Amino acid sequence: FNALTGLNNSVYSEGANFAIPYIETPIMFEVRNRPFEVTSASGSKDLQIIKMAVRILYAPNKTQLPEIYRNLGLGYADTVLTSVTNEVIRSVIAQYNANELLVRRSEVSKRISQVLKQRSAGYGIEISDVAITQMAFGKEYTAAVESKQVAQQMAERGKFLVDQAHQEKRGVIVLAEGEAKSAEL
């Protein structure tokens, strides 16, 4: 920043750079990748409430630093990434059923990453990685899944008992036939 001419459009790289004291003030940006985590709750295609946490690795585009500072300031990540990520998560989750979210987790993560990269590029933010760190479902859905698993286990147990009864029946028949043959002899 120059006190006489305002914000310069040039970006200085790291290292030794000269500045006129009291007139020029450097504005420092962290240009390394940094993590940012966003938690969002939204509805799926089948109207189940899904709570999702997403971790984003981002960095500012070095060539757009003056524009980022001019429009968003130093807290650009909090300003942009929170709202854009919430919007992207809600739009992507709404395209899948709750079961599909479990089965296609990597596909959902890739889709969120693609859309988020497109949206954040307009603000001068480069996204290098997006990962779903947590996915939780509503109480009703969790209870329904648990009751379905219990019902499946009970059906399997019933099937096992029927098979066991058939085995015992065959054993009794074979034993009776053996006794009948020994009685004939």
Side-chain angles (χ1 to χ4, degrees):
F1 179 78
N2 188 315
L4 302 174
T5 60
L7 188 63
N8 244 349
N9 282 331
S10 59
V11 176
Y12 299 108
S13 63
E14 62 269 358
N17 294 298
F18 295 103
I20 302 171
Y22 303 109
I23 294 177
E24 293 181 339
T25 307
I27 299 168
M28 307 289 220
F29 269 88
E30 181 72 49
V31 293
R32 293 181 292 181
N33 279 334
R34 292 193 297 173
F36 189 80
E37 188 154 334
V38 177
T39 303
S40 178
S42 62
S44 65
K45 192 175 185 180
D46 55 353
L47 303 177
Q48 297 294 328
I49 300 297
I50 286 65
K51 294 176 186 169
M52 184 179 286
V54 176
R55 183 192 44 81
I56 303 161
L57 286 179
Y58 72 95
N61 186 333
K62 294 175 188 173
T63 60
Q64 295 181 344
L65 287 177
E67 199 63 32
I68 292 171
Y69 183 74
R70 209 175 268 122
N71 295 332
L72 304 170
L74 288 174
Y76 63 95
D78 293 331
T79 306
V80 174
L81 286 180
T82 304
S83 61
V84 170
T85 305
N86 278 325
E87 182 181 334
V88 167
I89 288 173
R90 287 187 178 120
S91 68
V92 171
I93 286 179
Q95 298 172 4
Y96 295 93
N97 291 332
N99 288 339
E100 290 175 332
L101 287 171
L102 288 172
V103 175
R104 299 176 168 179
R105 184 176 175 134
S106 62
E107 180 183 322
V108 172
S109 180
K110 285 179 188 174
R111 182 74 181 130
I112 289 173
S113 177
Q114 289 171 349
V115 176
L116 195 57
K117 284 179 183 179
Q118 291 171 354
R119 291 288 311 275
S120 63
Y123 295 102
I125 300 173
E126 297 174 348
I127 306 291
S128 59
D129 185 41
V130 176
I132 297 172
T133 56
Q134 180 182 2
M135 190 182 320
F137 296 92
K139 294 177 184 175
E140 297 85 14
Y141 183 76
T142 306
V145 168
E146 286 175 3
S147 65
K148 180 181 175 184
Q149 287 177 342
V150 168
Q152 285 177 340
Q153 288 173 354
M154 294 301 284
E156 289 292 325
R157 186 169 187 261
K159 193 182 209 183
F160 173 75
L161 291 175
V162 168
D163 287 343
Q164 187 179 13
H166 283 298
Q167 290 293 339
E168 288 176 7
K169 180 181 171 185
R170 284 190 207 128
V172 169
I173 290 172
V174 168
L175 183 63
E177 286 176 355
E179 288 179 2
K181 283 186 182 179
S182 69
E184 284 179 8
L185 293 174

